[in-house]
């Protein structure tokens, strides 16, 4: 799946302003929700703040909990982050690696100007992830624990995608 997405957070004082990192591949909810939940459970040890710190460290080629230090990277400047994913990096003409890009900060109302299909916003206080479409509209909010890749939880998590209340919470 090659769906682009952003994964990040909002601040309590500014809930419609996202601070996020770009993810190039596998951004569809069917791939991203279980990946985020598994990274949360494994790498972050169920600590949502640790998950946020890991995700916001850099932009990503893809997120996947099975990444190890030995996972080969396809491009110069990329490196695997064990238990999280493969970084997105580029190399300059002289062979040096570009500096780390700053966080992307955008109002959700302007999300339609971004080249992504999905936006995932983590809430460290509730251990949930809010899913937004490419125009910033909320689709649903899921507990990370409900998106862990177990047959019952994965089916429940994906089965509720799109069925939300006016406030964006699952029905």
């Amino acid at each position: 799946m090659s769906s682009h997405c952003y994964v990040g957070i909002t601040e309590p004082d500014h809930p419609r302003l996202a601070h996020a990192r770009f993810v190039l591949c596998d951004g569809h909810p069917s791939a991203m929700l279980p990946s985020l939940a598994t990274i949360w459970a494994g790498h972050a040890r169920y600590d949502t703040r640790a998950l946020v710190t890991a995700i916001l460290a850099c932009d990503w080629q893809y997120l996947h909990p099975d990444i190890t230090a030995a996972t080969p990277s396809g491009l110069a400047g990329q490196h695997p982050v064990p238990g999280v994913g493969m970084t997105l990096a580029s190399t300059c003409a002289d062979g040096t690696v570009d500096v780390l890009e700053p966080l992307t900060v955008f109002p959700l109302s302007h999300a339609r100007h971004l080249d992504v299909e999905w936006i995932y916003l983590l809430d460290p206080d509730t251990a949930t992830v809010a899913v937004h479409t490419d125009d910033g509209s909320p689709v649903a909010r899921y507990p990370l624990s409900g998106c862990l890749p177990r047959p019952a939880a994965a089916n429940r998590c994906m089965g509720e995608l799109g069925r939300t209340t006016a406030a964006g919470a699952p029905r």
Side-chain angles (χ1 to χ4, degrees):
M1 292 181 206
S2 63
S3 298
H4 308 320
C5 70
Y6 275 101
V7 179
I9 61 170
T10 61
E11 296 175 2
D13 296 346
H14 305 285
R16 300 292 295 166
L17 187 65
H19 300 256
R21 286 295 186 177
F22 181 73
V23 181
L24 181 64
C25 299
D26 293 339
H28 190 272
S30 63
M32 187 56 63
L33 291 170
S35 289
L36 286 171
T38 305
I39 294 166
W40 169 72
H43 177 82
R45 302 188 195 300
Y46 300 98
D47 180 344
T48 311
R49 291 188 198 302
L51 173 63
V52 167
T53 299
I55 299 296
L56 296 183
C58 59
D59 290 328
W60 300 93
Q61 176 79 25
Y62 58 91
L63 297 173
H64 199 284
D66 293 339
I67 292 293
T68 67
T71 302
S73 62
L75 300 172
Q78 286 184 313
H79 68 276
V81 177
V84 181
M86 184 66 68
T87 64
L88 181 64
S90 60
T91 304
C92 300
D94 65 1
T96 61
V97 176
D98 285 339
V99 296
L100 179 65
E101 292 289 326
L103 282 174
T104 301
V105 179
F106 58 93
L108 287 171
S109 61
H110 293 185
R112 67 186 167 279
H113 301 294
L114 304 171
D115 182 25
V116 298
E117 288 93 23
W118 301 96
I119 300 164
Y120 302 92
L121 298 174
L122 299 161
D123 185 336
D125 294 328
T126 62
T128 59
V129 58
V131 180
H132 296 259
T133 59
D134 61 349
D135 67 357
S137 299
V139 175
R141 178 178 304 272
Y142 301 106
L144 287 165
S145 61
C147 295
L148 287 168
R150 308 184 294 259
N155 290 340
R156 181 178 67 248
C157 183
M158 295 314 305
E160 293 178 3
L161 186 61
R163 296 188 327 227
T164 61
T165 65
R171 288 188 222 197

